[in-house]
Amino acid sequence: ARVAPQGPVRRVPGLLAQIREAATGAGSLINVSSTYGLVSPDQSVYDYRRQDGAEFYKPIGYSVAKSGMLNFTRWLAEYCAPFGVRVNTLVPGGVKEAGHAPAFVAEYVKRTPLGRMAQDDDYNGAIVFLASRAAAYMTGAMRVVGGGWKTRSSRSAKAAKGAQDIWLSRRRGVCAAISSKGATETPAQP
């Protein structure tokens, strides 16, 4: 799925105009992010896609868009507060879909303390809460509902290092070095 971080931002002028015009003094906006907006993707979850020598990693754009949504929420929360509108973010974990590869589901489930992916209705309670009077003093916040994915430290430095080593070896000896002057290509160190 393609994620366009600029999509919500393009809608801001119209949204803000509607909020000012409505002037109801109450309301709730709920943005949706992802656990990959809070933590970097565990690239080893996608090892099944590399079995035949294919190169794959979870694209950076997804994490950038989802983490950007968190600060977008904070920005909107401050802007909308004088109009009585609260703005919060739901941070969901992965939802099990019929098209998911069994290997992906197995790897995801191993890393989730509740031992499963979310069902379609697992987020309903959090959304009802964020929209309700029960969250009347909550704005600029995030509600994480991810089966414990974010709380787990099993995505150890060793596992992350192994995934990074595999990824770098597949980059054919070239890695991007990021500096204050931008990205440059340098030979990978043995």
Side-chain angles (χ1 to χ4, degrees):
R2 185 169 171 255
V3 177
Q6 68 276 15
V9 175
R10 287 184 183 153
R11 293 180 182 92
V12 168
L15 173 68
L16 297 180
Q18 288 177 351
I19 289 170
R20 284 190 303 270
E21 288 171 20
T24 62
S28 176
L29 296 175
I30 303 168
N31 291 321
V32 179
S33 181
S34 166
T35 51
Y36 279 166
L38 298 173
V39 297
S40 63
D42 181 346
Q43 298 294 347
S44 65
V45 171
Y46 306 97
D47 282 347
Y48 74 97
R49 296 190 72 169
R50 300 181 195 101
Q51 288 178 344
D52 297 326
E55 185 174 309
F56 179 85
Y57 58 96
K58 182 74 174 180
I60 191 172
Y62 186 83
S63 291
V64 168
K66 297 305 183 176
S67 63
M69 183 57 71
L70 299 173
N71 210 43
F72 178 61
T73 296
R74 289 186 283 269
W75 185 92
L76 275 177
E78 184 152 346
Y79 181 89
C80 294
F83 303 105
V85 176
R86 297 176 296 105
V87 185
N88 294 293
T89 303
L90 175 68
V91 182
V95 178
K96 188 172 182 183
E97 298 175 5
H100 280 144
F104 169 78
V105 174
E107 289 299 317
Y108 191 96
V109 166
K110 280 196 305 192
R111 291 162 175 79
T112 307
L114 288 183
R116 66 180 180 87
M117 294 186 78
Q119 301 300 314
D120 290 339
D121 62 352
D122 279 335
Y123 303 112
N124 295 354
I127 292 169
V128 168
F129 168 73
L130 290 172
S132 76
R133 178 82 181 106
Y137 197 62
M138 187 174 177
T139 194
M142 63 182 139
R143 173 64 80 183
V144 180
V145 184
W149 174 270
K150 183 188 163 292
T151 63
R152 197 146 220 212
S153 63
S154 67
R155 296 186 299 156
S156 66
K158 182 179 176 185
K161 174 86 170 91
Q164 180 184 35
D165 289 346
I166 292 168
W167 184 78
L168 288 175
S169 70
R170 294 206 167 122
R171 298 304 304 161
R172 296 177 192 86
V174 176
C175 65
I178 307 298
S179 71
S180 60
K181 296 178 183 177
T184 58
E185 290 190 0
T186 58
Q189 300 299 314

